Amino acid sequence: MSTKSQLNDIYKKIAQQLDISDELFDKAERKYQDIGIWIDKHTPEYKIDIYSQGSFALGTVIKPLNDNDEYDIDLVCEFKNGIKVDAKELKVDIVKPLLQKYGDCDEPKEKRRCWQVTYNDSPQFHMDIIPAKTNDSFIFITDKDEENKSYDYIGSNPAGYIAWFKERMKVRLKILKEQFALKEFKAKIEEIPDYKVKTPLQQAIQVLKRHRDIMFANDEYNTKPISIIITTIAANLYNNEDNVYDTLKIILEKAEKYINDCKVDGKYSILNPSYTGGQSENFADKWQEHPERAIAFIEWINKAKEDILDNPIAFTSITEIGNVLKFSLGEG
C-alpha cells in the first residue's frame, strides 16, 4: 500500500510538469502589458489598464492537453475614467477594433464576457480579454445574453478575488518564500515574485483541473466544470495544509457537502467572496437553468476522489501508481 508521502511527491511533481514555464510566463506578461500600453496610447480620451485575472494571475494555469493547443490567458481591459457607453458599444464598437488594430491576429472570437484573440507573434497562448469600466471599488464587465443576443454590465471584482485567494494561502506562501530566499540567497522575501513558488493549494487545483480536462475531453453537452468554481471551493476548504495530498484529500472529501451547504432557498450558490457591490456574483448561476452542470460537477468530484485518493493508495511501486494515474491525469 502506498504512503501519503509517496503520493504527495507524485502529485507535486505532476503539478510542476503541468505548470507554465517561467520563460513563457514572462513572455505572456510582457505581451499583455504591451497591449495595454498600446491601447492606452491610442485612446487618449480614455485611461486604460489591462491586467491578468483567472488562473494566470492565481498561479493555477496548466499546460493544454495537446501540445498544439494554446495556453489560455484571462485579462481585464478596464476603462478607468467614467466612460459612459452601454455594454455592447464598449465591447463591440470600442474594444474589438482596438484588439484588431494592435497586431496581426485572426478574427477575435466573441465569448459571453470577453473577446478571445490570438496574435500571430505569440502563438503559444490566446487571450480572453474582458472589457470593463470602473465602478468605485468594483468594476462592471460586459456580459452577453446568448439567447436574447443582448448585452449588459454585471458587477465584478477580479483584483479583489486574487487578493482573497492569496489571503487563503498566505501562511504557506510566506513559508515557501522564506525557504526560496534561503535556497536562492535572496535577502528580501518581498522581492520574490509569487509565481516563483507554488503552494499546495495551487498545485492541488492544477492536478484537479488536469483530471477534469481529461474526464471532459469529449464534452458534448457543455457540462465541463468551470475553473472559477473549482478554485473558489478549493480555496474556501483549504486550511494551509503543508502538502498537496492532504490538500487534495480535504477538497475532494468535503466539496460535495460544501456545495450543498452553500445553497440558498434550495438553489446553488457559489458566491464570489470578493464582490459585495449590489447583487452578489454567483459563479453557479447557470446551474439553476442547467441542472445537468451541477450533476456533472458532483460526478466529477466523486470520480476524482476515486482516481486520485482511493485507487492509487492500493499500490506500492511508482510504476504501479503511474499506471493507475495515467488514465485520469494523462500519460505525460
Side-chain angles (χ1 to χ4, degrees):
M1 182 174 287
S2 58
T3 65
K4 183 182 81 172
S5 177
Q6 268 185 309
L7 290 174
N8 180 64
D9 287 344
I10 290 170
Y11 291 135
K12 188 173 180 179
K13 289 175 182 177
I14 288 172
Q16 290 169 346
Q17 290 296 315
L18 291 173
D19 207 0
I20 188 171
S21 68
D22 287 356
E23 180 183 8
L24 199 54
F25 183 97
D26 290 339
K27 183 176 181 179
E29 191 171 50
R30 289 194 302 270
K31 184 64 178 180
Y32 76 71
Q33 288 175 347
D34 186 67
I35 294 172
I37 292 170
W38 186 91
I39 290 179
D40 194 37
K41 179 181 178 181
H42 289 79
T43 54
E45 66 273 35
Y46 307 123
K47 174 61 179 173
I48 309 294
D49 189 16
I50 286 187
Y51 52 91
S52 63
Q53 62 150 6
S55 60
F56 189 78
L58 298 171
T60 59
V61 67
I62 62 173
K63 291 179 180 178
L65 272 178
N66 190 316
D67 289 339
N68 296 322
D69 291 339
E70 307 161 345
Y71 284 89
D72 181 8
I73 310 298
D74 297 304
L75 305 171
V76 177
C77 179
E78 182 180 346
F79 289 70
K80 287 181 163 293
N81 57 345
I83 182 172
K84 291 181 170 54
V85 296
D86 63 36
K88 182 177 182 180
E89 187 176 353
L90 178 62
K91 186 179 183 185
V92 178
D93 299 333
I94 297 177
V95 172
K96 182 184 179 183
L98 287 169
L99 297 176
Q100 291 172 308
K101 291 176 183 176
Y102 164 76
D104 186 23
C105 64
D106 296 330
E107 179 71 9
K109 298 177 183 177
E110 185 172 18
K111 301 297 184 74
R112 177 181 169 187
R113 295 175 178 174
C114 69
W115 291 109
Q116 187 177 98
V117 58
T118 300
Y119 290 100
N120 293 331
D121 63 349
S122 305
Q124 302 98 328
F125 41 81
H126 67 251
M127 300 181 181
D128 289 344
I129 301 176
I130 301 177
K133 65 176 185 177
T134 304
N135 175 39
D136 297 325
S137 57
F138 304 109
I139 63 172
F140 282 137
I141 64 176
T142 57
D143 184 65
K144 182 181 180 182
D145 185 327
E146 295 290 348
E147 293 181 7
N148 298 316
K149 306 300 180 184
S150 61
Y151 294 78
D152 204 351
Y153 286 113
I154 58 172
S156 189
N157 186 17
Y161 186 93
I162 294 166
W164 168 80
F165 183 83
K166 290 182 178 180
E167 180 70 18
R168 293 296 303 157
M169 60 180 189
K170 70 175 183 179
V171 173
R172 193 55 45 194
L173 185 63
K174 182 175 182 292
I175 292 171
L176 289 169
K177 282 193 171 185
E178 289 171 348
Q179 293 172 348
F180 185 90
L182 287 173
K183 181 180 178 182
E184 300 294 329
F185 304 104
K186 298 281 186 181
K188 296 182 179 179
I189 295 175
E190 58 269 22
E191 293 178 355
I192 300 171
D194 286 347
Y195 74 88
K196 287 291 185 180
V197 297
K198 283 289 188 292
T199 66
L201 173 61
Q202 292 167 307
Q203 293 184 315
I205 291 171
Q206 289 175 308
V207 171
L208 290 172
K209 286 166 64 173
R210 175 45 48 105
H211 183 279
R212 172 210 56 189
D213 288 349
I214 290 178
M215 181 171 169
F216 291 85
N218 300 307
D219 183 24
E220 299 177 10
Y221 304 104
N222 194 28
T223 58
K224 178 180 175 180
I226 61 174
S227 294
I228 191 65
I229 294 181
I230 297 172
T231 302
T232 303
I233 293 172
N236 271 306
L237 292 174
Y238 184 60
N239 293 313
N240 279 289
E241 284 78 14
D242 64 359
N243 67 86
V244 183
Y245 180 82
D246 281 340
T247 304
L248 285 165
K249 185 176 175 65
I250 196 170
I251 294 167
L252 291 173
E253 290 185 345
K254 294 187 175 183
E256 184 172 359
K257 183 178 185 300
Y258 176 86
I259 291 168
N260 288 321
D261 288 347
C262 287
K263 285 182 179 178
V264 177
D265 298 328
K267 295 181 178 181
Y268 293 106
S269 181
I270 308 297
L271 299 181
N272 182 343
S274 68
Y275 182 71
T276 57
Q279 184 177 357
S280 298
E281 185 178 14
N282 180 9
F283 296 135
D285 59 346
K286 294 300 180 184
W287 285 10
Q288 320 311 329
E289 54 192 278
H290 298 285
E292 68 276 9
R293 297 182 187 179
I295 293 170
F297 195 98
I298 299 300
E299 288 178 346
W300 166 67
I301 286 292
N302 290 324
K303 188 68 169 67
K305 180 176 177 295
E306 177 185 332
D307 291 338
I308 293 172
L309 300 181
D310 299 340
N311 291 344
I313 206 75
F315 299 93
T316 54
S317 78
I318 297 298
T319 301
E320 290 173 323
I321 296 171
N323 286 334
V324 172
L325 292 177
K326 69 182 181 181
F327 297 106
S328 56
L329 295 176
E331 288 278 357

